[in-house]
Coordinates of all heavy atoms in Angstrom, one line a residue:
R245 N 0.8 -1.2 0.0 CA 0.0 0.0 0.0 C 0.9 1.2 0.0 O 1.9 1.3 0.6 CB -0.9 0.0 1.2 CG -1.9 -1.2 1.2 CD -2.9 -1.1 2.3 NE -3.8 0.0 2.2 CZ -4.8 0.2 1.4 NH1 -5.2 -0.8 0.6 NH2 -5.6 1.3 1.5
R246 N 0.4 2.3 -0.7 CA 1.1 3.5 -0.9 C 1.6 4.1 0.5 O 2.7 4.5 0.6 CB 0.2 4.5 -1.6 CG 0.9 5.9 -1.9 CD -0.1 6.8 -2.5 NE -1.2 7.2 -1.6 CZ -2.4 7.6 -2.0 NH1 -2.7 7.7 -3.2 NH2 -3.3 7.9 -1.1
E247 N 0.7 4.2 1.4 CA 1.0 4.9 2.7 C 2.1 4.1 3.5 O 2.7 4.7 4.4 CB -0.2 5.1 3.5 CG -0.9 3.9 4.0 CD -2.0 3.4 3.1 OE1 -2.1 3.9 2.0 OE2 -2.8 2.5 3.6
Q248 N 2.3 2.9 3.2 CA 3.4 2.2 3.9 C 4.7 2.0 3.0 O 5.6 1.3 3.4 CB 2.9 0.7 4.3 CG 2.1 0.7 5.6 CD 0.7 0.3 5.4 OE1 0.4 -0.5 4.5 NE2 -0.2 0.8 6.2
S249 N 4.7 2.7 1.9 CA 5.8 2.5 1.0 C 6.6 3.8 0.8 O 6.1 4.8 1.2 CB 5.2 2.1 -0.4 OG 4.4 0.9 -0.3
S250 N 7.8 3.6 0.3 CA 8.6 4.8 0.2 C 8.5 5.4 -1.2 O 8.1 4.8 -2.2 CB 10.1 4.4 0.4 OG 10.5 3.4 -0.5
N251 N 8.8 6.7 -1.3 CA 8.7 7.4 -2.5 C 9.8 6.9 -3.5 O 10.8 6.4 -3.0 CB 9.0 8.9 -2.3 CG 7.9 9.6 -1.6 OD1 6.8 9.1 -1.5 ND2 8.1 10.8 -1.1
S252 N 9.5 6.9 -4.7 CA 10.4 6.4 -5.8 C 11.6 7.2 -5.9 O 11.6 8.5 -5.8 CB 9.7 6.2 -7.1 OG 8.6 5.4 -7.0
H253 N 12.7 6.6 -6.3 CA 13.9 7.4 -6.7 C 13.7 8.0 -8.1 O 13.2 7.3 -9.0 CB 15.1 6.4 -6.8 CG 15.6 6.0 -5.5 ND1 17.0 5.9 -5.2 CD2 15.0 5.6 -4.3 CE1 17.1 5.5 -3.9 NE2 15.9 5.3 -3.4
V254 N 14.1 9.3 -8.2 CA 13.8 10.0 -9.4 C 14.6 9.4 -10.6 O 14.0 9.2 -11.7 CB 14.3 11.5 -9.3 CG1 14.4 12.2 -10.6 CG2 13.3 12.2 -8.3
D255 N 15.8 8.9 -10.4 CA 16.5 8.4 -11.5 C 15.9 7.1 -12.0 O 15.8 6.8 -13.2 CB 18.0 8.1 -11.2 CG 18.2 7.3 -10.0 OD1 17.3 7.1 -9.2 OD2 19.4 6.9 -9.7
E256 N 15.3 6.3 -11.1 CA 14.6 5.1 -11.5 C 13.4 5.4 -12.3 O 13.0 4.7 -13.2 CB 14.3 4.2 -10.3 CG 15.6 3.6 -9.6 CD 15.2 2.8 -8.4 OE1 14.0 2.6 -8.1 OE2 16.2 2.3 -7.8
V257 N 12.6 6.4 -11.8 CA 11.4 6.8 -12.5 C 11.7 7.2 -14.0 O 11.1 6.7 -14.9 CB 10.7 8.0 -11.8 CG1 9.6 8.6 -12.7 CG2 10.1 7.5 -10.5
I258 N 12.7 8.0 -14.1 CA 13.1 8.4 -15.5 C 13.6 7.3 -16.3 O 13.3 7.2 -17.5 CB 14.0 9.6 -15.4 CG1 13.2 10.8 -14.8 CG2 14.7 10.0 -16.7 CD1 14.0 12.0 -14.5
C259 N 14.5 6.4 -15.7 CA 15.0 5.3 -16.5 C 14.0 4.3 -16.9 O 14.1 3.7 -18.0 CB 16.1 4.6 -15.7 SG 17.6 5.5 -15.5
Q260 N 13.0 4.1 -16.1 CA 12.0 3.1 -16.4 C 10.7 3.6 -17.0 O 9.8 2.8 -17.3 CB 11.6 2.3 -15.1 CG 12.8 1.7 -14.3 CD 13.4 0.6 -15.1 OE1 12.9 0.1 -16.1 NE2 14.7 0.3 -14.7
A261 N 10.6 4.9 -17.2 CA 9.4 5.5 -17.7 C 8.8 4.9 -18.9 O 7.6 4.6 -19.0 CB 9.6 7.0 -17.9
L262 N 9.6 4.7 -19.9 CA 9.1 4.1 -21.2 C 8.8 2.6 -21.0 O 7.7 2.2 -21.4 CB 10.1 4.3 -22.3 CG 10.2 5.8 -22.8 CD1 11.3 5.9 -23.8 CD2 8.8 6.2 -23.5
E263 N 9.7 1.9 -20.5 CA 9.6 0.4 -20.5 C 8.4 0.0 -19.6 O 7.6 -0.9 -19.9 CB 10.9 -0.2 -19.9 CG 10.9 -1.7 -19.9 CD 12.1 -2.3 -19.3 OE1 13.1 -1.6 -19.1 OE2 12.1 -3.5 -19.0
W264 N 8.2 0.7 -18.5 CA 7.1 0.4 -17.6 C 5.8 1.2 -17.8 O 4.9 1.1 -17.1 CB 7.6 0.5 -16.1 CG 8.6 -0.5 -15.7 CD1 9.1 -1.5 -16.5 CD2 9.3 -0.5 -14.5 NE1 10.1 -2.2 -15.8 CE2 10.3 -1.6 -14.6 CE3 9.3 0.2 -13.3 CZ2 11.1 -1.9 -13.5 CZ3 10.1 -0.1 -12.3 CH2 11.0 -1.2 -12.4
Q265 N 5.9 2.0 -18.9 CA 4.7 2.8 -19.3 C 4.2 3.7 -18.2 O 3.0 3.7 -17.9 CB 3.6 1.9 -19.9 CG 4.1 1.2 -21.1 CD 3.1 0.3 -21.7 OE1 2.0 0.1 -21.1 NE2 3.3 -0.2 -22.9
L266 N 5.1 4.4 -17.5 CA 4.7 5.3 -16.4 C 4.0 6.5 -17.0 O 4.3 6.9 -18.2 CB 5.9 5.7 -15.6 CG 6.7 4.6 -14.9 CD1 7.9 5.1 -14.2 CD2 5.8 3.8 -14.0
D267 N 3.1 7.1 -16.3 CA 2.4 8.3 -16.8 C 3.3 9.4 -17.3 O 4.1 10.0 -16.5 CB 1.5 8.8 -15.6 CG 0.6 10.0 -16.0 OD1 1.1 10.9 -16.8 OD2 -0.5 10.0 -15.5
P268 N 3.3 9.7 -18.6 CA 4.2 10.7 -19.1 C 4.1 12.1 -18.5 O 5.1 12.8 -18.4 CB 4.0 10.7 -20.6 CG 2.7 9.9 -20.8 CD 2.4 9.1 -19.6
D269 N 2.9 12.5 -18.1 CA 2.7 13.8 -17.5 C 3.4 13.9 -16.2 O 4.1 14.8 -15.8 CB 1.2 14.1 -17.4 CG 0.6 14.4 -18.7 OD1 1.3 14.8 -19.7 OD2 -0.6 14.2 -18.8
L270 N 3.3 12.8 -15.4 CA 3.9 12.8 -14.1 C 5.4 12.7 -14.2 O 6.2 13.4 -13.5 CB 3.4 11.6 -13.2 CG 2.0 11.6 -12.7 CD1 1.7 10.4 -11.9 CD2 1.8 12.9 -11.8
V271 N 5.9 11.9 -15.2 CA 7.3 11.8 -15.4 C 7.9 13.1 -15.8 O 9.0 13.5 -15.3 CB 7.6 10.7 -16.5 CG1 9.1 10.7 -16.8 CG2 7.2 9.3 -16.0
R272 N 7.2 13.9 -16.6 CA 7.6 15.2 -17.0 C 7.7 16.1 -15.8 O 8.7 16.9 -15.7 CB 6.7 15.8 -18.1 CG 7.3 17.0 -18.8 CD 6.4 17.7 -19.8 NE 5.3 18.3 -19.2 CZ 4.0 17.8 -19.2 NH1 3.8 16.7 -20.0 NH2 3.0 18.4 -18.6
Q273 N 6.7 16.0 -15.0 CA 6.7 16.9 -13.7 C 8.0 16.6 -12.9 O 8.6 17.5 -12.3 CB 5.5 16.7 -12.9 CG 4.2 17.3 -13.5 CD 3.0 17.0 -12.6 OE1 3.1 17.2 -11.4 NE2 1.9 16.5 -13.2
V274 N 8.3 15.3 -12.8 CA 9.4 14.9 -12.0 C 10.7 15.4 -12.6 O 11.5 16.0 -12.0 CB 9.5 13.3 -11.9 CG1 10.9 12.9 -11.3 CG2 8.4 12.8 -11.1
A275 N 10.8 15.2 -13.9 CA 12.0 15.7 -14.7 C 12.2 17.2 -14.5 O 13.3 17.7 -14.3 CB 12.0 15.3 -16.1
E276 N 11.1 18.0 -14.6 CA 11.2 19.4 -14.5 C 11.5 19.9 -13.1 O 11.9 21.0 -12.9 CB 9.8 20.0 -15.0 CG 9.7 19.9 -16.5 CD 8.3 20.3 -17.0 OE1 7.4 20.6 -16.1 OE2 8.1 20.4 -18.2
A277 N 11.2 19.1 -12.1 CA 11.4 19.5 -10.7 C 12.8 19.2 -10.2 O 13.2 19.6 -9.2 CB 10.4 18.8 -9.8
I278 N 13.6 18.5 -11.0 CA 15.0 18.2 -10.6 C 15.8 19.5 -10.5 O 15.8 20.3 -11.5 CB 15.7 17.3 -11.6 CG1 15.0 16.0 -11.7 CG2 17.2 17.0 -11.2 CD1 15.3 15.2 -12.9
P279 N 16.4 19.8 -9.4 CA 17.2 21.1 -9.3 C 18.2 21.2 -10.4 O 18.9 20.3 -10.7 CB 17.8 20.9 -7.9 CG 17.0 20.0 -7.1 CD 16.5 19.0 -8.2
Y280 N 18.2 22.4 -10.9 CA 19.2 22.8 -12.0 C 19.0 22.1 -13.2 O 19.8 22.1 -14.1 CB 20.7 22.6 -11.5 CG 20.9 23.1 -10.1 CD1 21.3 22.2 -9.1 CD2 20.7 24.4 -9.7 CE1 21.5 22.6 -7.8 CE2 20.9 24.9 -8.4 CZ 21.3 24.0 -7.5 OH 21.4 24.4 -6.2
G281 N 17.9 21.3 -13.3 CA 17.6 20.5 -14.6 C 18.7 19.6 -14.9 O 19.0 19.3 -16.0
D282 N 19.4 19.0 -13.9 CA 20.5 18.1 -14.1 C 20.1 16.8 -14.7 O 19.4 16.0 -14.1 CB 21.2 17.8 -12.7 CG 22.4 17.0 -12.8 OD1 22.7 16.5 -14.0 OD2 23.1 16.8 -11.8
P283 N 20.5 16.6 -16.0 CA 20.0 15.4 -16.7 C 20.6 14.1 -16.1 O 20.1 13.0 -16.3 CB 20.4 15.6 -18.1 CG 21.6 16.5 -18.0 CD 21.3 17.4 -16.8
D284 N 21.8 14.2 -15.5 CA 22.4 13.0 -15.0 C 22.0 12.6 -13.6 O 22.3 11.6 -13.1 CB 24.0 13.2 -15.0 CG 24.5 13.4 -16.4 OD1 24.0 12.8 -17.3 OD2 25.5 14.2 -16.5
L285 N 21.2 13.5 -13.0 CA 20.7 13.3 -11.6 C 21.8 13.0 -10.6 O 21.6 12.3 -9.7 CB 19.7 12.1 -11.6 CG 18.6 12.2 -12.6 CD1 17.7 10.9 -12.6 CD2 17.7 13.4 -12.1
E286 N 23.0 13.5 -10.9 CA 24.1 13.3 -9.9 C 24.0 14.4 -8.9 O 24.3 15.6 -9.3 CB 25.4 13.3 -10.7 CG 25.7 12.1 -11.5 CD 25.8 10.8 -10.6 OE1 26.3 10.9 -9.5 OE2 25.3 9.8 -11.1
A287 N 23.7 14.1 -7.7 CA 23.7 15.1 -6.7 C 25.1 15.3 -6.2 O 25.5 14.8 -5.1 CB 22.8 14.7 -5.5
D288 N 25.9 16.0 -7.0 CA 27.4 16.0 -6.6 C 27.9 17.4 -6.4 O 29.0 17.7 -6.8 CB 28.2 15.3 -7.7 CG 28.0 15.9 -9.1 OD1 27.3 16.9 -9.2 OD2 28.6 15.5 -10.0
E289 N 27.0 18.3 -5.9 CA 27.5 19.7 -5.7 C 27.5 19.9 -4.2 O 26.8 19.3 -3.4 CB 26.5 20.7 -6.3 CG 26.4 20.5 -7.8 CD 27.7 20.7 -8.5 OE1 28.5 21.6 -8.1 OE2 28.0 20.0 -9.5

């Protein structure tokens, strides 16, 4: 159940979006919300 589960990792959502047919609107919201629009999702700053 959702309320007992953890939030998904952003990089996994983006990597699996097409293969697992995740909602493209939600995936786009996730991608747009990444700080600095970092496409590599490397939190290395």
Side-chain angles (χ1 to χ4, degrees):
R245 297 185 62 79
R246 179 185 68 204
E247 65 268 12
Q248 277 115 30
S249 302
S250 58
N251 289 345
S252 298
H253 286 219
V254 166
D255 55 348
E256 292 179 0
V257 167
I258 290 171
C259 288
Q260 303 297 344
L262 286 173
E263 186 183 345
W264 295 354
Q265 300 179 350
L266 301 177
D267 183 320
D269 289 334
L270 289 179
V271 172
R272 191 183 70 250
Q273 286 178 50
V274 169
E276 287 172 355
I278 300 163
Y280 317 117
D282 182 354
D284 298 326
L285 303 174
E286 287 295 324
D288 60 359
E289 299 301 319

